[in-house]
Amino acid sequence: MAGQRDLLTESTRVLLITLGQIDAIRSGDPGKASALLHELLVSHKAYANLMLIDNTGRVIASGLPVGEDVDLYEKPYLRAAAYSHGFSVGGVEEDLATGDLVFPCILPYLDTHSGRILMYIMATVRPESQIREFAEINLSKHMRLYIRGKYGKLAYSYPPGLAEAEDAFEREAWKEIASNELTEGLLSM
């Protein structure tokens, strides 16, 4: 699984480097860049979105609409890319356009003469594109796998579709435990 994640991360880095060589991106023209990024999203299902971000952290172009005046300046992955002048991968967070949980990957585009950051190119990677091996794991009928984001939003479940039903059961079980003052310990399911 780590090998597939590394391969996808490396292919994302190469995609971002390649995008930095295309005139529609390098020009920073929001209309042209957004059109190209949208076209790329159609053929690259591993990505929830592709974005162009100015050197102050403001989103200036996006393959999918993210709203106006979106500022990513304080995001740790952007700060890491700014500090290192290199590729950076963030932790799981909600995609601005889709609301899906994603891994943001970002690369600064540098001025070749001064080394100054002109803009950033970012891809948000869908977690399921990194963990296809789970679909091939021969789990027993009693085993479940859930991957959740920082605030508990479900990013992936195996087998698919069971998480919502089991979440309802687990909430009811915890409600019952909480109502009994004498109950202590952990609930294991």
Side-chain angles (χ1 to χ4, degrees):
M1 183 166 51
Q4 183 175 352
R5 187 193 69 234
D6 292 344
L7 179 63
L8 184 61
T9 301
E10 179 60 17
S11 64
T12 300
R13 188 182 73 78
V14 170
L15 172 67
L16 298 179
I17 289 169
T18 304
L19 285 173
Q21 305 306 310
I22 299 172
D23 287 336
I25 300 296
R26 288 187 4 213
S27 71
D29 179 294
K32 288 179 182 177
S34 291
L36 174 65
L37 296 174
H38 179 75
E39 190 176 318
L40 287 169
L41 280 177
V42 172
S43 61
H44 291 81
K45 299 297 183 192
Y47 304 108
N49 202 2
L50 297 165
M51 291 179 268
L52 191 58
I53 302 160
D54 72 12
N55 63 0
T56 67
R58 192 175 57 86
V59 176
I60 57 174
S62 179
L64 296 175
V66 294
E68 294 185 29
D69 297 323
V70 174
D71 186 356
L72 302 176
Y73 182 75
E74 293 298 325
K75 294 289 187 177
Y77 52 83
L78 189 135
R79 308 292 277 160
Y83 178 76
S84 70
H85 280 216
F87 181 72
S88 176
V89 179
V92 175
E93 67 176 35
E94 282 191 28
D95 183 74
L96 297 170
T98 65
D100 297 338
L101 292 178
V102 294
F103 295 100
C105 298
I106 190 164
L107 182 75
Y109 180 69
L110 307 174
D111 180 280
T112 55
H113 300 291
S114 69
R116 188 175 62 91
I117 296 174
L118 300 174
M119 66 183 94
Y120 300 88
I121 306 167
M122 185 166 111
T124 55
V125 181
R126 298 178 191 279
E128 61 269 18
S129 66
Q130 295 189 352
I131 52 179
R132 286 188 222 274
E133 288 94 343
F134 286 124
E136 298 169 7
I137 295 175
N138 188 14
L139 295 176
S140 78
K141 66 179 183 177
H142 300 292
M143 295 179 73
R144 304 287 184 260
L145 173 66
Y146 303 119
I147 299 175
R148 297 185 183 276
K150 183 176 179 180
Y151 299 106
K153 184 173 180 182
L154 183 67
Y156 180 84
S157 70
Y158 184 86
L162 292 178
E164 291 76 19
E166 290 181 354
D167 279 352
F169 174 75
E170 189 173 342
R171 278 193 302 275
E172 288 301 314
W174 279 111
K175 191 186 303 181
E176 180 65 29
I177 289 170
S179 70
N180 186 345
E181 292 178 21
L182 302 176
T183 304
E184 291 184 13
L186 294 174
L187 175 64
S188 177
M189 295 188 204

